[in-house]
Amino acid sequence: AASGRLGQDQQHHVVVHALRDLSFSLGPGDRLGLIGSNGAGKTTLLRILAGIYEPHIGSLDIRGSLNALLDTNLGMNMELTGRENIELRGLYYGLSHTNIRRLLDDVCEFADLGEFLSLPVRLYSSGMVVRLGFGMATAIKPQILLMDEWFLAGDTQFMDKARNRLEDMVRGAEILVLGTCKAEPVNDA
């Protein structure tokens, strides 16, 4: 294989050996930064922690509510309306009908898509999809927050609103795991 990391399992499925001999434990107040070049395994680890991928060997034990900000379109059905996607997200998280209504109100207000929420998402512009996806992804506050490299798209007003919402979500998370390609200097002032 190209780098010695590609292989096959017994069913002849392609297996990428992105992570090996990895063990760690995080508790309330912990912040973990995954820093490395593209292909280093950061997103793979985040997807394993999120339950998107299963570990080939070993086990994973997550205790607490978890939200993974890995892809704004994750779990979105482009054939459904914006409202239906929001309701579906609420059902996925096991919310009651009352809490789904609250989720719907929150995302509708945040995304500011008005009547477009009654249209199928496939008709949205890319900026509208980002607004809806970001609103849904950040509406439910988790104990454990997983984040991959994010960029904010849209006008300045939306970017400021999104940045504030994301910062609030990060502050409220008991545990944060963030993947990035480069380390930013920390200003302790």
Side-chain angles (χ1 to χ4, degrees):
S3 65
R5 295 175 13 167
L6 298 178
Q8 288 187 356
D9 65 10
Q10 293 176 344
Q11 290 80 29
H12 302 289
H13 296 119
V14 174
V15 174
V16 178
H17 301 282
L19 306 168
R20 287 194 180 110
D21 302 321
L22 182 63
S23 178
F24 61 92
S25 179
L26 301 172
D30 285 344
R31 303 295 193 242
L32 175 62
L34 308 173
I35 302 169
S37 60
N38 290 329
K42 303 177 302 290
T43 300
T44 299
L45 178 57
L46 290 169
R47 287 179 178 171
I48 289 171
L49 294 173
I52 297 168
Y53 294 164
E54 287 187 39
H56 187 67
I57 298 172
S59 64
L60 174 67
D61 184 23
I62 302 262
R63 296 181 193 147
S65 64
L66 183 137
N67 193 355
L69 302 181
L70 305 177
D71 178 358
T72 54
N73 298 342
L74 192 63
M76 200 180 306
N77 183 329
M78 300 306 236
E79 297 302 317
L80 297 179
T81 68
R83 285 186 199 288
E84 290 168 335
N85 270 287
I86 297 167
E87 292 170 353
L88 190 61
R89 183 70 55 100
L91 290 171
Y92 173 78
Y93 279 109
L95 300 180
S96 67
H97 291 294
T98 301
N99 286 335
I100 289 175
R101 279 193 297 277
R102 286 187 191 127
L103 176 67
L104 188 59
D105 291 344
D106 178 74
V107 175
C108 288
E109 180 183 338
F110 178 80
D112 196 24
L113 295 173
E115 295 178 6
F116 283 98
L117 286 170
S118 298
L119 295 176
V121 174
R122 65 180 158 74
L123 300 176
Y124 289 16
S125 69
S126 58
M128 293 166 74
V129 172
V130 168
R131 283 175 175 260
L132 177 62
F134 189 90
M136 288 192 307
T138 58
I140 298 173
K141 309 299 186 243
Q143 293 171 295
I144 303 164
L145 178 59
L146 308 176
M147 291 176 54
D148 209 348
E149 294 172 286
W150 273 64
F151 65 94
L152 302 176
D155 57 54
T156 304
Q157 183 180 1
F158 176 73
M159 287 178 20
D160 290 342
K161 187 165 69 166
R163 187 176 290 103
N164 291 336
R165 186 167 168 121
L166 188 57
E167 288 172 359
D168 181 53
M169 190 174 196
V170 167
R171 278 191 297 274
E174 291 180 26
I175 297 172
L176 171 67
V177 181
L178 172 66
T180 185
C181 277
K182 61 180 180 176
E184 296 293 331
V186 176
N187 184 356
D188 290 337

